[in-house]
Amino acid sequence: MSEPMRCSEVAEALDDIFQALGPRELMLCRERIFSPRPVPLARLGQTIGISRERTGQIDHQVRRNLKVALFASEVVAETARWVVDTVPYAAEVSRLAAQRPEVNAPVESLGVSAIEVLAAVGTKFEVREGWVLAPDADDVVESTADILETHASPEGVVPLGIVAQELSLAQDEAARWLTRCGYTTLVGHVLIHTFSIEDHVAGILGVVGEPRTLDEIHAQLHPKRTSAAVRNALVADKRFMKSDRTKWALTRWGLPAYMPIRQQIAHLITENGGQIELDELIASIRSRYDVSEASIRTYASAGEFRQAANVVSFRSAVRKPGRSPQGTPRLYREGDTLRFRMTINNQHKRGSSFSLPSGLAALLGVGPNSSKSFASRLGPQEIVWSSVQARTGTIKRFLEELRAEVGDVVFLEFRPSDEFGVESLRKSGSGLRAALAMTGHSHADDPTLTDAELVAALAHAVWLEKDASLDDVRATLDRRREPETLDALASVAE
């Protein structure tokens, strides 16, 4: 049988069935059973002139009789079986119609296609917005979600080919189905976590598999977000790190973290006994990072560094270090993040600049007659060493965002890749947890941490080795003159 004849035969068989119905039954089919917007039983009953209950009885009887009549027709039943056998999960109606035009044959008496008629009378599939879904939409959506979760990377990335294979679809059709389900596709992959900017960015990096610049990441975001929002997400989320001056990577890749040029120069001078050939300095830095030679030359002859006969050294022949980090009160660390605890006063609220301890300035790479700019979600934060001490610019905008008042305790945070922030003190429990919270530690309230882990975290925070004892921690806090943190430990036994 040719395709045109087959298509005509299916349509005619269906039309014959519906034309045999009485006027009331045919109206019920058109207005309710096969309508994309079924009329409620009560309203339809009013139109027909019978009760809602009687209309419901007729509806049930018509559906039952139609199912019997449709499958009594050999050509209609064979078409329905073909659809069921061809669609394990989902398929576009247009693809099925390209293979067998009869599925999309118009049923004149109803004004709908043959496949829509079959889906409405109890077959093992349904039709929604141009898709055939088996056995129903909810089941296919759930199966799709299960497939994605099973094959997702830590960043929620799944190769599109895997999804297509699992759903028995071509990749382009699978991509359209995933888009209909609300997922984002990108360069042959599916991103299943895109609700937040952070998750979306993690997915993008997970797809490309190598560091990208802020602009490159921003260009891949759909819907678009502001560049500032993307930058804030990269700065605030520990899943991301700077692997170069302008590029961001996933922390789990294990790439070396980018060290600002000034810190690299200081490190190389110290490592080489106090001086280093300029050409060697340039070659060493450029072998690891994408930094221009001109930038290195500029930094190497400014601030705390000087050049003489192409040799770079510290400007002062003898560098006098300030107080050590361990001996600097209220200066803490958590991994590569530095925190300085302070109590807000009227000068801070008014927007005045204020001094920072030399121990912190040294860690930040700020020395005499030098300055440094840190990025933040609220704009640059400048630290300048003028006269005899380092000073930071106003933090008024941060305090306003936090709604901090005079007397409140906050932390200045200096994160890797020269990122700055101000965070409020988050009190947590008592004893070891309260003491760890006084250092600004991000996991002080983690209920899974044991006492031993809390002590190790506290020791690390005050610049001791992680295997230091609680007595060592107490002694260090006493030397640092930190009575508040010591008080929190008063009830804790060794």
Side-chain angles (χ1 to χ4, degrees), residues 60-130:
H60 177 73
Q61 184 178 2
V62 169
R63 290 177 191 268
R64 184 179 58 191
N65 292 343
L66 283 175
K67 187 173 183 179
V68 172
L70 265 57
F71 286 94
S73 167
E74 181 180 346
V75 67
V76 173
E78 192 278 331
T79 301
R81 286 194 296 271
W82 178 82
V83 173
V84 172
D85 292 342
T86 303
V87 185
Y89 291 102
E92 288 176 307
V93 173
S94 59
R95 172 167 66 87
L96 300 183
Q99 296 175 260
R100 295 201 34 181
E102 65 268 26
V103 301
N104 221 17
V107 181
E108 299 296 340
S109 54
L110 295 177
V112 297
S113 65
I115 199 166
E116 290 175 291
V117 172
L118 296 174
V121 291
T123 48
K124 296 179 181 179
F125 60 86
E126 65 181 29
V127 176
R128 295 265 189 100
E129 300 174 359

Side-chain angles (χ1 to χ4, degrees), residues 231-232 373-382 397-398 420:
R231 180 181 180 83
N232 292 341
S373 180
F374 294 81
S376 84
R377 64 181 181 276
L378 298 181
Q381 184 73 17
E382 302 295 330
R397 62 195 186 284
F398 295 95
F420 175 81

Side-chain angles (χ1 to χ4, degrees), residues 202-485:
I204 290 171
L205 288 174
V207 168
V208 299
E210 59 185 19
R212 283 290 188 265
T213 66
L214 173 63
D215 288 344
E216 289 171 333
I217 294 170
H218 182 255
Q220 298 280 16
L221 278 171
H222 300 284
K224 288 296 184 186
R225 308 296 183 95
T226 65
S227 291
V230 179
R231 180 181 180 83
N232 292 341
L234 289 165
V235 169
D237 197 307
K238 293 183 178 179
R239 287 177 292 180
F240 312 119
M241 57 165 281
K242 254 190 171 179
S243 62
D244 211 324
R245 183 175 58 89
T246 60
K247 292 184 177 180
W248 291 85
L250 289 171
T251 304
R252 76 175 182 87
W253 290 343
L255 299 175
Y258 173 70
M259 183 185 296
I261 298 176
R262 190 183 300 277
Q263 292 183 25
Q264 294 180 55
I265 295 173
H267 174 75
L268 289 169
I269 292 173
T270 302
E271 196 175 59
N272 283 271
Q275 62 181 34
I276 185 172
E277 293 282 342
L278 177 60
D279 289 344
E280 182 182 348
L281 177 72
I282 292 171
S284 178
I285 293 176
R286 296 198 69 194
S287 68
R288 288 172 291 172
Y289 301 112
D290 180 19
V291 180
S292 71
E293 180 176 334
S295 294
I296 300 172
R297 287 181 178 275
T298 300
Y299 277 98
S301 59
E304 61 183 315
F305 310 119
R306 67 175 181 180
Q307 285 187 50
N310 275 337
V311 173
V312 183
S313 61
F314 292 112
R315 191 168 293 280
S316 301
V318 179
R319 301 181 80 218
K320 296 181 179 179
R323 184 178 287 182
S324 69
Q326 188 183 114
T328 302
R330 297 174 284 112
L331 176 60
Y332 312 104
R333 63 177 174 173
E334 181 185 351
D336 293 329
T337 297
L338 302 176
R339 295 189 179 94
F340 180 64
R341 192 179 78 228
M342 53 186 286
T343 302
I344 301 305
N345 59 32
N346 287 318
Q347 286 73 26
H348 301 141
K349 287 282 287 182
R350 284 198 298 267
S352 301
S353 63
F354 54 93
S355 298
L356 294 177
S358 59
L360 173 58
L363 291 172
L364 299 176
V366 180
N369 303 311
S370 68
S371 64
K372 190 169 186 178
S373 180
F374 294 81
S376 84
R377 64 181 181 276
L378 298 181
Q381 184 73 17
E382 302 295 330
I383 295 180
V384 178
W385 188 302
S386 59
S387 186
V388 296
Q389 197 165 11
R391 295 182 67 81
T392 183
T394 177
I395 60 170
K396 181 179 179 180
R397 62 195 186 284
F398 295 95
L399 302 183
E400 289 174 345
E401 182 186 58
L402 295 173
R403 298 183 179 179
E405 300 296 337
V406 172
D408 288 349
V409 176
V410 300
F411 293 90
L412 305 186
E413 283 196 355
F414 299 89
R415 310 181 193 103
S417 303
D418 291 345
E419 305 291 348
F420 175 81
V422 180
E423 302 294 339
S424 297
L425 168 67
R426 294 175 297 178
K427 295 183 179 180
S428 179
S430 60
L432 290 169
R433 293 187 188 280
L436 191 58
M438 293 293 288
T439 73
H441 200 283
S442 59
H443 298 296
D445 57 354
D446 184 348
T448 66
L449 292 181
T450 65
D451 284 354
E453 289 171 328
L454 290 168
V455 171
L458 191 56
H460 176 76
V462 295
W463 310 90
L464 296 173
E465 295 298 323
K466 289 188 176 181
D467 59 356
S469 68
L470 184 56
D471 278 346
D472 293 332
V473 173
R474 284 193 174 107
T476 299
L477 291 170
D478 185 52
R479 287 193 299 271
R480 288 161 59 112
R481 297 181 182 178
E482 294 193 33
E484 305 93 337
T485 314

Side-chain angles (χ1 to χ4, degrees), residues 116-188:
E116 290 175 291
V117 172
L118 296 174
V121 291
T123 48
K124 296 179 181 179
F125 60 86
E126 65 181 29
V127 176
R128 295 265 189 100
E129 300 174 359
W131 287 86
V132 178
L133 307 169
D136 56 52
D138 290 343
D139 186 82
V140 181
V141 169
E142 184 177 343
S143 296
T144 301
D146 289 343
I147 291 169
L148 291 170
E149 290 292 346
T150 299
H151 297 283
S153 73
E155 291 74 43
V157 175
V158 186
L160 182 57
I162 290 178
V163 186
Q165 182 178 2
E166 294 276 2
L167 293 175
S168 299
L169 295 173
Q171 287 200 29
D172 57 345
E173 190 174 6
R176 290 190 291 273
W177 167 246
L178 291 164
T179 299
R180 183 188 181 280
C181 291
Y183 296 105
T184 298
T185 57
L186 177 67
V187 195

